[in-house]
Amino acid sequence: MKVRRSDRLIDMTRYLLERPHTLIPLTFFSKRYESAKSSISEDLAIVRRTFAQRQTGILETVPGAAGGVRYIPIMGEDEAENFIAAMSKRLSETDRLLPGGHVYLSDLLGTPSVLRQIGRLIATQYREAHVDAVMTVATKGIPIAQSVSQYLNVPFVIVRRDSKITEGSTVSVNYVSGSSARIEKMELSKRSLPANSRVLIVDDFMKGGGTVNGMKALIDEFNAKMVGITVFAEGKFDGDRMVSEYTSLIRVDKVDTKANTLHATAGNFLDQNRQLLEVAGQ
């Protein structure tokens, strides 16, 4: 049954948003709505223009007989700055500092709207990195990895510190905790990563970088390649971190254990991705 343009636009937009980084042939839409390709092209031009104006994403056109359109989620510079400023303010709230210097993040990482913004922001950074999988360690990093993987449309894998019978055979590595200098173990199911996979590491919070460094070692064990490291927040750390190349959305720069307060500001994400965000916002 032939579909009206207004209905086509709504359904087409929904279909694209649910399938980021997926090439969709124009013939698919033409058959779906029983419309000429010329009409579909006009519809897609409207969607492309609206996505660009609202900084929802890029609708990329791939020419040729095997071509089509691909939706690339992005976040522009203004939205990124506003989101990071809002998160810095939230992290600076009273009583977020927990014993041992830990920072309470569960309320933020349990909020769907916050997770969507985190996922879209990190996916913007790696939109051209050809990521095959997103990796994190249980448990607080899981919602972040899930959100990022949704916007990149790739699987996410969970590294664990203890064995789970449901994981089957695993590969394990020993690593040094950056904050406590203790030797600890982490492991990943052998079925999680094919060889030569391009892996993005994400996590909720980083101090000395020991956990992230352990995940890097696991990636090497799988003969895979790490394409980047991004954490939601990094903590104040006296000494040399075990990883040097990473991006953080938020940085905790002041901690007062006596007053049980902390102060958070923007991490290095904006500075390292300024040009990329400016292009995304155009």
Side-chain angles (χ1 to χ4, degrees):
M1 181 177 67
K2 195 172 181 64
V3 181
R4 293 181 302 175
R5 164 165 281 184
S6 58
D7 295 339
R8 283 202 312 262
L9 286 169
I10 293 171
D11 187 67
M12 188 181 294
T13 302
R14 178 197 61 80
Y15 194 90
L16 291 165
L17 290 174
E18 290 179 350
R19 294 163 179 81
H21 292 270
T22 302
L23 184 63
I24 304 169
L26 264 62
T27 52
F28 171 81
F29 286 132
S30 182
K31 292 178 181 179
R32 183 180 179 90
Y33 308 123
E34 296 185 7
S35 300
K37 283 187 180 181
S38 57
S39 299
I40 297 300
S41 296
E42 292 173 0
D43 294 345
L44 290 170
I46 295 172
V47 175
R48 180 182 295 107
R49 184 174 64 251
T50 304
F51 279 6
Q53 290 174 345
R54 300 296 180 182
Q55 297 184 9
T56 303
I58 299 168
L59 195 59
E60 183 181 80
T61 300
V62 178
V69 292
R70 183 186 289 118
Y71 164 60
I72 312 295
I74 59 165
M75 183 180 290
E77 184 178 11
D78 291 343
E79 189 176 359
E81 288 182 344
N82 291 337
F83 173 69
I84 288 176
M87 290 298 100
S88 299
K89 184 177 180 181
R90 292 289 303 274
L91 256 67
S92 300
E93 291 171 346
T94 305
D95 296 333
R96 276 202 181 271
L97 189 62
L98 302 174
H102 298 288
V103 180
Y104 182 71
L105 298 174
S106 296
D107 59 333
L108 298 178
L109 300 184
T111 303
S113 59
V114 171
L115 286 172
R116 282 194 294 269
Q117 295 288 76
I118 294 173
R120 189 155 62 96
L121 185 53
I122 297 176
T124 299
Q125 179 183 4
Y126 295 100
R127 71 176 190 260
E128 297 179 354
H130 305 292
V131 174
D132 296 313
V134 179
M135 174 182 285
T136 194
V137 65
T139 56
K140 294 290 183 61
I142 294 176
I144 295 176
Q146 183 175 14
S147 182
V148 175
S149 69
Q150 179 179 351
Y151 282 102
L152 290 176
N153 200 18
V154 298
F156 70 95
V157 297
I158 304 170
V159 175
R160 302 188 184 276
R161 293 187 173 90
D162 54 350
S163 298
K164 297 289 184 183
I165 192 171
T166 53
E167 296 294 298
S169 300
T170 61
V171 174
S172 65
V173 296
N174 293 324
Y175 70 99
V176 180
S177 171
S179 55
S180 64
R182 294 181 303 187
I183 301 296
E184 300 188 13
K185 185 181 81 168
M186 61 172 57
E187 56 188 40
L188 182 65
S189 170
K190 286 184 177 180
R191 304 183 186 188
S192 295
L193 282 178
N196 302 314
S197 294
R198 295 173 57 83
V199 185
L200 166 63
I201 293 176
V202 300
D203 208 358
D204 64 320
F205 198 85
M206 182 176 72
K207 283 188 177 180
T211 301
V212 170
N213 201 41
M215 285 190 277
K216 287 176 62 179
L218 262 179
I219 290 172
D220 290 339
E221 289 293 323
F222 278 82
N223 294 319
K225 180 180 179 180
M226 186 192 74
V227 298
I229 301 167
T230 299
V231 298
F232 175 63
E234 61 173 305
K236 186 178 176 63
F237 185 74
D238 297 324
D240 295 328
R241 281 198 167 94
M242 293 185 177
V243 294
S244 57
E245 296 184 4
Y246 65 91
T247 54
S248 63
L249 274 60
I250 314 294
R251 176 184 293 117
V252 177
D253 58 355
K254 295 179 183 178
V255 176
D256 188 336
T257 54
K258 291 184 179 180
N260 198 36
T261 60
L262 56 82
H263 179 266
T265 186
N268 63 3
F269 184 95
L270 292 173
D271 289 338
Q272 291 197 17
N273 293 284
R274 184 75 62 183
Q275 185 175 2
L276 186 66
L277 292 169
E278 288 175 353
V279 172
Q282 292 177 355

